[in-house]
Amino acid sequence: MSSTSSPATFDIAIEGMTCASCVRRVEKAIAATPGVVQAAVNLATERAQVAFEGPVNLPPVLAAIAKAGYGAHVIEEDHAEDLERTARKAEIATLRRDLVLAALLTIPVFLVEMGGHLIPALHHSIQMNLGQWNWYAQFVLISLVLFGPGLRFFVKGIPALLRGAPDMNALVSLGAGAAWLFSVVATFLPSALPEGTAYVYFEAAGVIVTLILLGRYLEARAKGETSEAIRKLAGLQAKTALRLRDGSETEVPIAELQPGDIVRVRPGEKIAVDGEIVEGSSFVDESMISGEAIPVTKGIGAEVIGGTINKTGSFSFRATKVGSQTLLAQIIRMVEAAQGAKLPIQALVDKVTAWFVPAVIAIATLTFIAWLLLGPSPALTFALVNAVAVLIIACPCAMGLATPTSIMVATGRAAELGVLFRRGDALQSLRDIEIVAFDKTGTLTQGEPAVTDIETAPGFSENEVLALLASVEARSEHPLATAIVKAARERSLDIPRPPLSRRSRGAAPPPSSMAGRSRSARPAGWWSRASMPGFSLPGRKPSANRPKHHFSPPSTAGSPR
């Protein structure tokens, strides 16, 4: 008799991926490792999810990723969020510094070269006053760009090229390096070039590196903002919980909670994990899950969801789902999966980008051969010049970044606005939607009750009635009572504090929360009673014709009617 178990799954952080071809290369390297049954690499979160069948052996997987030219380490869930945030901030800060430095060094060269083409007088003035020193200065400035901020492209691109797996870094290093090398020859050894071809392209090399750095910086910022949206979802979780054990209450981190633990929740606190109420009752704000702003009544046996907010009473519940099993944790995983999902259009992009860099190198090689065989003398020099031109023109590889970055930014922005995509392909299917159905509450409306109109009986003013109602509801935490009090305060009304009133059968209690039932008070000599829908005063039958609010002026007999 054999038993089967689901494959063990681990998350691995990947460093150094820049485009879809990198994702494909890492996936192939992981999938080729013995014991791995599935590998899914997420460019947006820079993670790989690896499934093993049989014994788990992570070192060979990490070694395969390193051999492919990328960094990797196993993610420790307890510190993954803090480490990711720190690494992201460091990456953005480094890219910002390098981008500013590259731009400051490149802009003078660009203005001199392009300005000379646009304004002949400027070109003539530069040649007359600077002469060859103009090219020497450009050489110094652009060399600082290439071997300073741009060094990262050569460090990663050249080894990838030598491994026979060229990526975007290889293309950048080839294009910028070829432009710089040709310009160096034109500056210091112009006699080696055909007559009339000794021109410098230092500005091209500098602009290539600066623009690619700009793209990397914007991409890193977009990833950071998207990750922040997921962190905001994670921030809905409580950090600690009040656990009841052996008759005592202890505040513990939610990571220490286990299924079956009894947790106490006080008014205004977040519910730590999913569970079932075993003692007490309250109103719970579940708007983060349902979108409904009206708090839900919860009593013994009712289910509560981690991350929702207890509004009024105190209660205890038994934890049923903790950690990654809670509903909020599942929502976070769903958003992360949607961010890294491959849309149908991505399949086409992957095919193109997988062949893009080799195709560019092949076209440059064919150009070199064609000019070498068919070009004028000196054929070798013309062949080199034109092959370099192909590399420079084809350098930017935006296609591989556009689609995954768009998915990442779109799903992240949607999460910030409360729109969660369960599957990545749902994003692409939006283009075919013609009719949209909205859940009104909290989407097309503010999602909370508010006083919009007041109808009064003859002899009463709106402000007078509203002040009396607010006086009765001032101590209630019911959403409708809160709306009445808020409306009175927005009108800057004086809300009297109702004293105890004598009734024919004894003293009426002061206004207070009575679980949605009726309240009575006698503010400033007036008798008032407010009844919530569906409830009536004790001893009375509800009547459909009876108004919800009753007001009576002071009775000459001294007792309210």
Side-chain angles (χ1 to χ4, degrees), residues 39-111:
V41 178
N42 186 329
L43 180 64
T45 59
E46 296 180 331
R47 292 187 180 188
Q49 191 174 74
V50 184
F52 291 89
E53 189 172 45
V56 175
N57 193 6
L58 286 173
V61 174
L62 301 179
I65 297 172
K67 186 177 180 181
Y70 304 92
H73 64 271
V74 179
I75 297 174
E76 299 179 5
E77 291 297 333
D78 292 341
H79 307 287
E81 182 178 339
D82 293 335
L83 291 175
E84 181 186 355
R85 180 179 296 185
T86 302
R88 184 73 66 194
K89 287 183 177 179
E91 179 188 11
I92 293 175
T94 301
L95 285 170
R96 183 190 299 114
R97 180 201 65 198
D98 290 351
L99 172 62
V100 171
L101 178 60
L104 291 176
L105 295 173
T106 301
I107 288 175
V109 177
F110 178 80
L111 292 178

Side-chain angles (χ1 to χ4, degrees), residues 166-366:
D167 58 2
M168 182 179 175
N169 293 307
L171 201 57
V172 173
S173 59
L174 278 177
W180 178 84
L181 186 60
F182 183 87
S183 301
V184 168
V185 174
T187 301
F188 298 101
L189 196 62
S191 59
L193 299 175
E195 186 177 352
T197 62
Y199 297 106
V200 295
Y201 298 95
F202 286 121
E203 85 286 348
V207 167
I208 287 172
V209 170
T210 302
L211 289 181
I212 298 298
L213 284 174
L214 175 61
R216 295 278 177 90
Y217 172 67
L218 294 177
E219 179 193 1
R221 282 190 56 184
K223 288 180 179 179
E225 292 171 358
T226 302
S227 300
E228 190 64 31
I230 295 179
R231 280 193 290 270
K232 287 180 180 178
L233 288 176
L236 295 174
Q237 294 175 319
K239 303 300 181 185
T240 60
L242 199 62
R243 184 173 61 190
L244 303 181
R245 183 173 290 180
D246 299 330
S248 62
E249 298 181 351
T250 308
E251 188 170 2
V252 297
I254 62 170
E256 295 184 11
L257 292 179
Q258 300 294 328
D261 284 346
I262 304 299
V263 180
R264 170 79 67 184
V265 184
R266 294 167 293 197
E269 290 184 338
K270 287 183 179 179
I271 297 173
V273 294
D274 297 358
E276 180 181 337
I277 294 180
V278 296
E279 179 188 359
S281 62
S282 183
F283 291 99
V284 177
D285 181 359
E286 294 185 341
S287 57
M288 59 160 272
I289 300 296
S290 65
E292 296 291 338
I294 302 297
V296 180
T297 303
K298 297 288 185 178
I300 294 177
E303 292 185 356
V304 290
I305 300 172
T308 56
I309 301 174
N310 179 33
K311 300 294 288 185
T312 55
S314 177
F315 62 87
S316 300
F317 72 93
R318 179 184 295 105
T320 56
K321 295 180 180 179
V322 299
S324 61
Q325 300 303 314
T326 64
L327 180 60
L328 182 58
Q330 294 176 34
I331 291 175
I332 294 172
R333 287 200 302 272
M334 179 185 69
V335 175
E336 288 180 337
Q339 281 191 341
K342 291 186 178 180
L343 274 63
I345 188 63
Q346 184 69 32
L348 175 60
V349 174
D350 287 348
K351 291 180 181 178
V352 174
T353 53
W355 294 99
F356 182 79
V357 177
V360 170
I361 296 175
I363 292 173
T365 303
L366 291 175

Side-chain angles (χ1 to χ4, degrees), residues 124-139:
H124 178 73
S125 175
I126 292 173
Q127 291 299 322
M128 290 294 295
N129 294 294
L130 296 178
Q132 193 68 12
W133 284 102
N134 174 32
W135 287 5
Y136 295 157
Q138 292 186 32
F139 164 74

Side-chain angles (χ1 to χ4, degrees), residues 341-464:
K342 291 186 178 180
L343 274 63
I345 188 63
Q346 184 69 32
L348 175 60
V349 174
D350 287 348
K351 291 180 181 178
V352 174
T353 53
W355 294 99
F356 182 79
V357 177
V360 170
I361 296 175
I363 292 173
T365 303
L366 291 175
T367 302
F368 175 82
I369 295 174
W371 278 88
L372 183 63
L373 298 178
L374 306 175
S377 181
L380 177 60
T381 305
F382 278 114
L384 287 171
V385 170
N386 287 284
V388 168
V390 171
L391 293 174
I392 294 173
I393 293 171
C395 181
C397 185
M399 184 180 297
L401 291 172
T403 302
T405 304
S406 298
I407 299 169
M408 178 183 59
V409 174
T411 52
R413 178 58 178 158
E416 289 180 354
L417 298 175
V419 180
L420 304 179
F421 285 89
R422 186 167 57 89
R423 301 196 319 268
D425 57 358
L427 186 64
Q428 182 172 335
S429 65
L430 285 176
R431 65 175 185 173
D432 300 321
I433 289 179
E434 297 180 354
I435 299 175
V436 179
F438 288 96
D439 178 6
K440 176 180 65 66
T441 305
T443 305
L444 303 180
T445 64
Q446 290 183 342
E448 61 181 19
V451 175
T452 58
D453 299 282
I454 302 176
E455 296 182 9
T456 63
F460 293 90
S461 67
E462 286 190 4
N463 288 345
E464 184 181 25

Side-chain angles (χ1 to χ4, degrees), residues 490-528:
E490 288 176 349
R491 296 192 184 193
S492 301
L493 300 181
D494 183 17
I495 303 175
R497 181 178 181 180
L500 296 179
S501 60
R502 287 285 175 181
R503 304 190 65 180
S504 57
R505 296 186 180 180
S512 61
S513 296
M514 297 172 66
R517 299 179 69 85
S518 60
R519 281 175 294 284
S520 60
R522 188 178 182 179
W526 290 75
W527 173 255
S528 63

